[in-house]
Amino acid sequence: MTDREFLWCALNLILDDEEELAGLCPGCRDKAMEERCVSCGAPLATWEESVNQGFDRERFERMKRGLRK
């Protein structure tokens, strides 16, 4: 498969997913787009382990703007 064919297939898979989501009501669309456990289907955002307790949002924002301190 050429790079061009691979790109065409990937693009069409993305478009197919968007088309499927467009056919859902807003509530079902939101639920379908939630990150979930691949084993049990539990929403990942509800796990305490899914949040990095050591993450410093303020430091991240400063570093993102190029400020070190």
Side-chain angles (χ1 to χ4, degrees):
M1 182 182 283
T2 66
D3 288 344
R4 184 182 178 105
E5 292 170 330
F6 182 75
L7 179 61
W8 185 85
C9 287
L11 178 62
N12 278 287
L13 286 172
I14 292 169
L15 292 173
D16 288 346
D17 288 345
E18 287 182 4
E19 188 176 304
E20 281 186 43
L21 288 173
L24 299 173
C25 71
C28 289
R29 187 178 311 121
D30 290 342
K31 188 174 179 181
M33 293 177 68
E34 287 179 352
E35 291 188 41
R36 297 191 166 268
C37 173
V38 294
S39 179
C40 70
L44 293 178
T46 61
W47 295 358
E48 288 183 22
E49 296 87 19
S50 67
V51 178
N52 182 352
Q53 299 298 326
F55 183 73
D56 185 351
R57 170 70 60 187
E58 291 176 14
R59 181 171 181 250
F60 172 77
E61 293 297 330
R62 285 193 312 266
M63 292 179 75
K64 189 167 77 170
R65 290 189 309 264
L67 305 174
R68 292 286 178 187
K69 295 182 180 181

